[in-house]
Amino acid sequence: MLTKAERTKQFILETAAPIFNQKGISGANIDDVLAATKLTKGCLYGHFEGKEDLALQVVDFMLNNNGEKMLLTISKGKTAKAKVFAFLDFYKDPLNTYLKGGCPVFNIAVESDDNFPAIKEKIAGIIRHGQELFVSILNQGIAGGEFSNKLDPAVYAFKAVAAVEGAVVMCRSMNTAKPMAGLLRGLKAELESYAI
């Protein structure tokens, strides 16, 4: 059971996450968080040392939350194909993502590239881990006889993630989810072409 202070901090992180995801680390400010939480500065600074500390903890919260949601989604699949399809379907509605503002991994990666080296390194680790997991799932599918060994897991995993992440941004910019549906169909058809 969380203490009152822990619940308050959790509330701040949950409330601040969509603000930081939409406005970015540089664009979000303490006043945005105060207005959304309806808390005082004293309360906020009782949990965070300042904006930088808040930003770092919000980033950790968003990345952990995204990872947990993704793993939960993938874990529902019983086969390698089902797991990959679950991953792809996680992105099927780029206009209504679970966290307002799009994919937090992509958003944070773009902003941190030139401005926040510590966060950039954290994002790089998450992306590497995600690729390793994706490749592992595909390798299990090959070993289990679901897919032909003509499938190159590293190439397909990179292509799928890069395409989906890019499509989220493009669809959000164009305000339409239709191209994502076509992309997901194509990625699924490509994977099915390796089915045994």
Side-chain angles (χ1 to χ4, degrees), residues 71-79 82-83 86:
L71 287 175
L72 179 63
T73 298
I74 292 170
S75 71
K76 292 177 183 172
K78 302 296 182 223
T79 64
K83 289 176 188 215

Side-chain angles (χ1 to χ4, degrees), residues 2 12 16 21 29 44 50 54 63 92 106 118 130 136 139 142 145 147 161-162 178:
L2 297 175
I12 295 168
N21 199 42
N29 63 53
L44 189 74
L54 173 63
L63 296 176
K92 69 183 172 193
F106 185 89
S136 166
N139 279 327
I142 292 169
F147 306 125
V161 173
K178 189 174 181 181

Side-chain angles (χ1 to χ4, degrees), residues 5-121:
E6 291 168 334
R7 284 193 312 271
T8 300
K9 185 173 185 175
Q10 183 71 17
F11 168 71
I12 295 168
L13 292 171
E14 289 171 355
T15 306
I19 296 168
F20 277 81
N21 199 42
Q22 289 178 286
K23 293 187 171 192
I25 299 164
S26 299
N29 63 53
I30 295 293
D31 289 336
D32 294 329
V33 176
L34 292 173
T37 60
K38 300 187 181 2
L39 296 173
T40 64
K41 270 190 184 178
C43 180
L44 189 74
Y45 288 119
H47 297 282
F48 305 96
E49 295 173 12
K51 184 189 173 192
E52 186 175 333
D53 182 39
L54 173 63
L56 291 172
Q57 291 193 47
V58 167
V59 165
D60 282 344
F61 173 80
M62 287 191 296
L63 296 176
N64 290 336
N65 195 11
N66 188 72
E68 288 170 7
K69 287 187 182 314
M70 181 61 72
L71 287 175
L72 179 63
T73 298
I74 292 170
S75 71
K76 292 177 183 172
K78 302 296 182 223
T79 64
K81 176 182 161 183
K83 289 176 188 215
V84 171
F85 281 21
F87 165 81
L88 294 171
D89 288 340
F90 186 79
Y91 293 95
K92 69 183 172 193
D93 188 357
L95 302 182
N96 296 301
T97 53
Y98 82 90
L99 182 60
K100 197 171 183 182
C103 176
V105 175
F106 185 89
N107 292 347
I108 296 166
V110 169
E111 186 175 12
S112 69
D113 185 39
D114 296 321
N115 302 309
F116 303 98
I119 294 174
K120 178 182 177 179
E121 193 54 41

